[in-house]
Amino acid sequence: MKSKSHSKFLRLLKIAGTKKILLIISAVLAVISSAFSLVPYIIIYIVMVRLLNPDFGPQDFLYIRNLALAAAGVVVLRYVIMAAAFMLSHVAAFKILYGLRTALAEHLGKLPMGYFNANQSGKIKKILYEDVEEIEQFIAHHIPDLVSGMVLPVMILVYLFWVDWHMALVALLPLPLAFFLQQKAFDRDGQEERRKQYHNALENMNGTIVEYIRGMPVVKIFNQTVQSFTRLKGAVHAYRHFIKEITLSMAPAWAMFIVITSSGLFFILPFGLWFYIKGVISLPTLFLFLMLGSGYMTPLFKLAMLGGQLGHILEGITRMDGILNSQTISEPISPKHPRNSSIEFKNVSFAYGDKNVLKDISFTIGEGRVTALVGPSGAGKTTIAQLLLRMWDIKEGEILLGGVNIKEIPHHELMSRIGFVFQNGFIFSDTVYENIRMGLENVSRADIEAAARASQCHDFIENLPKGLDTRIGEGGE
């Protein structure tokens, strides 16, 4: 289990490493910012030591004033550096996200239709948007937090041990307990399986919501109620039940973790007063530990939060890689080109999974002929048309276009030779012009108008308020 998590984490680092220079600079700036955050506390400690010095005199006021000005300058500089660190990490994150979403979209465009039948659009949407967005959170926010969360506590503890090792040991007392509680909250047995269940529940809910919205016209036509969508109701309740269950299982340990990380003074104050009364430490040292002795736990709290979120990020990457590793439509090694537009099916058999749809089908359609496929619903008419476009690849037989097996024709050429009108058309929320031009880059306006005339759409397009430039909504509304 740990080796799987390790490989997933390496995959996350590989993704982040595509903008390595930006992230290294961001990490260095985060370390500098963390170091500067300590300076005001150190200056306060130095000022208290000077103020309580029996030899304190008027000449020391100038020294204290200069220290106060230095502290103010360091605070301003620290926030400037921190802003620069986050700016660089955000730039890196947005560039990485652009590359990921582009790669996913391009790969999805090369997958056979069978993939989309087996995977709900809501699931794919969740991976493209939410899972990729989690990676942005890690790169843009968590990497600087991770660096400062590891470096700052070490800096604080090193300085505290340098000032007084007795009190430094006291400050360390809550650390083992906090670490144990954090592990109990986030690293329980079966946690990885729970993350898979979480993503499955979320994907199922997203998918059924999309189905519900798309099926709304049917609900209206047949006057059905929302209660008729039992799958949607069940998916939402299943997600709610899972979140409630996992929250209740983690809540006790997590609540104790928050208490421990926030209660450093519970240990420092009594021990500090006792050491002060015994003369082991000075008053400035006591105040220094009251300020910093529990402060080193704050970055650790961020690390704990990151530890809980990291598992979800890694599971999202696994699902994203599931898309990228899915088998695309194969391209021919030695491409051939059709002689004409004749179509021939030779002993074609095809099944959707275990369901046989076509068995040993053979027929020929000559070039220039108008041919209709007629038969009852479910006879395989749509499947035959889709197989011609290689939306699925057949296992038995051959499909020929112009005397050439369609598997030997480059996919882009096959698409350019066949026009396909889906039963349920999709219109993007854009202009009529852009909807017709979709997928074509080097076409003129005259070409678009010619396509509109050829499809018998030009007349009613001209009657729209702005013609081809009329913006239409999703679904053509």
Side-chain angles (χ1 to χ4, degrees):
M1 191 72 73
K2 287 185 177 179
S3 61
K4 287 184 179 180
S5 298
H6 181 68
S7 61
K8 291 178 184 179
F9 187 68
L10 290 178
R11 171 65 173 138
L12 177 59
L13 293 180
K14 182 180 179 181
I15 292 171
T18 56
K19 299 299 175 185
K20 182 166 57 177
I21 301 300
L22 286 173
L23 293 176
I24 288 175
I25 297 173
S26 174
V28 171
L29 291 176
V31 171
I32 296 172
S33 175
S34 297
F36 280 7
S37 68
L38 278 177
V39 173
Y41 297 101
I42 296 173
I43 288 177
I44 291 172
Y45 172 66
I46 294 172
V47 168
M48 289 185 66
V49 171
R50 182 61 66 93
L51 287 172
L52 296 175
N53 191 327
D55 298 328
F56 181 81
Q59 71 279 2
D60 292 308
F61 280 109
L62 180 60
Y63 176 73
I64 292 174
R65 188 197 68 180
N66 291 337
L67 284 177
L69 292 174
V74 167
V75 169
V76 173
L77 187 59
R78 182 239 170 165
Y79 282 106
V80 170
I81 293 173
M82 184 173 66
F86 276 103
M87 181 186 72
L88 291 174
S89 65
H90 275 77
V91 170
F94 292 139
K95 288 184 176 181
I96 290 170
L97 259 64
Y98 174 79
L100 282 175
R101 286 201 172 109
T102 301
L104 285 166
E106 289 178 351
H107 194 81
L108 285 168
K110 298 175 183 177
L111 293 176
M113 283 295 292
Y115 177 87
F116 299 97
N117 277 7
N119 295 274
Q120 295 174 310
S121 57
K123 171 184 175 180
I124 297 172
K125 170 259 177 188
K126 179 252 181 189
I127 294 171
L128 276 171
Y129 180 74
E130 296 177 29
D131 291 346
V132 175
E133 202 67 26
E134 289 284 350
I135 297 175
E136 185 270 336
Q137 287 289 322
F138 174 79
I139 296 172
H141 299 272
H142 297 330
I143 285 184
D145 284 343
L146 179 65
V147 172
S148 62
M150 291 189 297
V151 172
L152 185 56
V154 174
M155 288 181 176
I156 293 174
L157 289 172
V158 168
Y159 179 68
L160 292 180
F161 269 100
W162 182 75
V163 173
D164 187 270
W165 66 270
H166 304 90
M167 286 297 298
L169 288 175
V170 172
L172 281 175
L173 287 177
L175 186 60
L177 183 57
F179 181 77
F180 168 77
L181 291 169
Q182 189 265 341
Q183 290 294 309
K184 189 171 180 60
F186 290 112
D187 234 2
R188 290 155 37 90
D189 293 337
Q191 190 70 16
E192 189 161 344
E193 183 61 32
R194 284 180 175 272
R195 294 188 189 111
K196 290 181 181 178
Q197 293 172 3
Y198 166 80
H199 281 265
N200 288 338
L202 187 57
E203 287 174 0
N204 186 42
M205 185 175 67
N206 276 333
T208 51
I209 287 173
V210 171
E211 286 181 4
Y212 170 73
I213 294 172
R214 288 179 176 173
M216 187 56 70
V218 178
V219 177
K220 297 288 186 181
I221 291 171
F222 292 99
N223 197 29
Q224 297 181 22
T225 64
V226 176
Q227 294 298 324
S228 64
F229 283 84
T230 54
R231 284 186 61 213
L232 172 62
K233 183 180 178 182
V236 173
H237 284 193
Y239 179 75
R240 183 189 67 178
H241 175 75
F242 178 79
I243 293 298
K244 182 179 178 181
E245 181 182 292
I246 197 171
T247 300
L248 290 175
S249 68
M250 293 172 59
W254 180 242
M256 288 301 299
F257 173 80
I258 294 175
V259 170
I260 292 297
T261 54
S262 306
S263 61
L265 291 180
F266 179 79
F267 299 92
I268 293 172
L269 186 58
F271 279 98
L273 289 173
W274 186 69
F275 284 142
Y276 174 68
I277 293 170
K278 292 292 185 180
V280 177
I281 61 173
S282 64
L283 187 61
T285 301
L286 174 60
F287 274 99
L288 176 68
F289 276 89
L290 290 175
M291 289 187 295
L292 288 180
S294 59
Y296 79 93
M297 298 291 283
T298 303
L300 295 178
F301 178 78
K302 290 183 178 180
L303 287 179
M305 291 291 292
L306 175 58
Q309 295 170 359
L310 188 59
H312 293 298
I313 295 171
L314 296 180
E315 182 61 29
I317 287 176
T318 300
R319 291 166 191 261
M320 185 183 68
D321 285 342
I323 293 178
L324 294 174
N325 295 330
S326 296
Q327 186 65 42
T328 59
I329 297 173
S330 59
E331 290 287 351
I333 299 175
S334 301
K336 297 180 181 180
H337 306 285
R339 297 187 301 270
N340 51 48
S341 298
S342 63
I343 297 171
E344 183 177 1
F345 275 56
K346 283 186 176 181
N347 307 114
V348 172
S349 296
F350 178 73
Y352 294 111
D354 296 329
K355 182 182 179 182
N356 291 318
V357 179
L358 303 177
K359 179 65 176 177
D360 199 26
I361 299 295
S362 297
F363 63 86
T364 301
I365 301 175
E367 184 178 32
R369 300 284 299 276
V370 177
T371 303
L373 298 177
V374 180
S377 178
K381 305 183 297 298
T382 302
T383 300
I384 288 173
Q386 291 174 340
L387 291 178
L388 182 60
L389 284 166
R390 290 193 70 189
M391 290 185 177
W392 289 271
D393 275 335
I394 59 175
K395 303 300 181 184
E396 297 179 17
E398 284 186 297
I399 300 176
L400 306 178
L401 176 65
V404 178
N405 191 315
I406 59 172
K407 293 183 179 180
E408 297 177 310
I409 303 173
H411 192 63
H412 67 88
E413 183 176 351
L414 182 65
M415 293 297 100
S416 67
R417 285 179 171 269
I418 301 174
F420 192 87
V421 180
F422 288 93
Q423 290 173 318
N424 297 315
F426 184 87
I427 297 178
F428 292 93
S429 181
D430 208 330
T431 62
V432 176
Y433 177 89
E434 290 298 335
N435 270 276
I436 298 174
R437 194 183 72 90
M438 188 64 62
L440 301 173
E441 296 181 359
N442 301 316
V443 291
S444 65
R445 192 174 183 88
D447 294 329
I448 300 299
E449 290 178 354
R453 287 191 176 92
S455 59
Q456 308 298 315
C457 297
H458 186 263
D459 290 342
F460 80 77
I461 290 175
E462 286 297 303
N463 291 326
L464 294 174
K466 296 182 180 179
L468 283 170
D469 297 317
T470 303
R471 179 173 288 275
I472 51 179
E474 183 179 322
E477 299 176 358

